[in-house]
Every structure is written in C-alpha cells, then in structure tokens.
Amino acid sequence: VWAWGINQDRQLGDGTTINRSTPVQVSGLTGITAIAGGGFHSIALKDDGTVWTWGYNSSGQLGDGTTINRYTPVQVNGLTGIIAIDGGGEYTIALKDNGTVWTWGNNSFGQIGDGTTINRYTPIQVSGLTGVTAVAAGGSHTIALKSDGTVWVWGHNEYGQLGDGMKTECWECYSSTPIQVNGLTGIIAI
C-alpha cells in the first residue's frame, strides 16, 4: 500500500506526520486486497480476512480498543472473515463473509447501527442486519445492500440521506438502527 498527501493525523501510515507530495509505502502491510479512507484514518483489508487501520483515533475508529492515534497499521480487534471495508467521518465499517455487518468508532448519530449513540472502540455487529452483499460509509451515515436488492441505511439524516421521507434540515434527526430505503428494489450497487 502506498499513500501521499496530508499526514498531520498519521493517515499515511509511514511512521511520521510529514506531509508527502510523492507516494510513500505504508509500513508493514502485505497481502492487501482492498483499501479505504475515513475522515482522517485509513483502512486495509488483508487476503486473510483481517482488517488493519492507522491514523486519527479520537472516537475509536481504528478498532484497536483505544483512542490512541497510530503512526503505523494496527490490527482491528476480533475481526476475521471480512470481505469489504469502508470508512466514514470518524467510524469504520466491515462486511463479513457470512453477510453480517460490523462497525466501530464515532456513534454520535447512530451510524454504528447498534441502537445507541455510544462510541465503540472495537467492532460491534449491526443490529438485525443479515444477507448483506455490499457496504458504504458516508460522513455520519451508513448504507448496506442486501442480497434481495434492498438498501438499508442508518445514522445521521439531517438532509434526508437515509431516504426515509422524514423531515430534513434537522441536526438531531437520525436512526440508530437500520431502516429500509423507501421504494428501492432490484439494486445491485451502492
């Protein structure tokens, strides 16, 4: 894995906080099959199904049980069998090979999907969601595509990003558990 750009929050994973205008190799990673970026943290999926993170960790978005910023990759606690990853503002999402979804980090607007607004420093399974084939993370809302072609969302809904037809421009509007997007079926990608 190679990275470049701003590095004030250690998101390049090269062991420094030096901004880079040319690519530098992320320390200690091999066998990577997917990468993703969060707000100020980075995520990598290894070919053995484990997840590795580095960078800013104020809300536990690195999933290592701490809020310590990391200069180099650390393994996310307790996750195996992962097939897809993504990063939101200050949280992370992973899809397991059994169709379950796991999230951790900032949960101010319920974007973790566990029915609370408590930040999680290690992965927790999203409540009541199975049969998922793809995941995506927004700034503070999360999206999942199920094998039946339906789309499920949770988290912040200030501008209607959950697609549930509820009032928008409401800072305190959110869902802390997955809800189905109205009127969508036959969806193949998110």
Side-chain angles (χ1 to χ4, degrees):
V1 176
W2 295 76
W4 56 95
I6 194 166
N7 197 25
Q8 69 186 24
D9 293 307
R10 303 157 186 87
Q11 60 265 51
L12 299 186
D14 67 346
T16 75
T17 56
I18 299 168
N19 297 339
R20 304 292 185 168
S21 60
T22 58
V24 292
Q25 190 168 4
V26 176
S27 299
L29 285 182
T30 59
I32 301 303
T33 61
I35 55 173
F40 298 98
H41 71 291
S42 302
I43 309 118
L45 174 62
K46 287 189 86 166
D47 55 11
D48 64 1
T50 60
V51 178
W52 296 73
T53 56
W54 59 97
Y56 195 56
N57 196 26
S58 65
S59 299
Q61 59 265 45
L62 300 187
D64 67 347
T66 75
T67 56
I68 298 169
N69 298 338
R70 302 294 184 173
Y71 287 90
T72 56
V74 293
Q75 186 173 352
V76 174
N77 289 341
L79 275 187
T80 58
I82 301 302
I83 59 172
I85 53 172
D86 204 4
E90 289 184 7
Y91 77 103
T92 310
I93 182 170
L95 174 62
K96 264 190 132 172
D97 56 9
N98 65 2
T100 60
V101 177
W102 297 75
T103 54
W104 59 96
N106 188 300
N107 198 22
S108 299
F109 298 104
Q111 60 266 44
I112 298 300
D114 66 348
T116 76
T117 55
I118 299 168
N119 291 353
R120 303 295 181 176
Y121 304 138
T122 57
I124 188 165
Q125 187 175 345
V126 174
S127 303
L129 197 59
T130 59
V132 174
T133 60
V135 292
S140 56
H141 74 289
T142 312
I143 309 131
L145 174 62
K146 290 184 77 169
S147 59
D148 64 3
T150 59
V151 177
W152 295 74
V153 292
W154 59 97
H156 205 191
N157 197 28
E158 181 179 11
Y159 300 107
Q161 56 266 53
L162 298 188
D164 62 354
M166 299 302 290
K167 180 181 175 186
T168 60
E169 296 185 22
C170 168
W171 180 253
E172 296 177 0
C173 295
Y174 64 88
S175 176
S176 61
T177 57
I179 57 174
Q180 187 175 347
V181 175
N182 293 331
L184 282 185
T185 57
I187 303 304
I188 58 170
I190 53 172

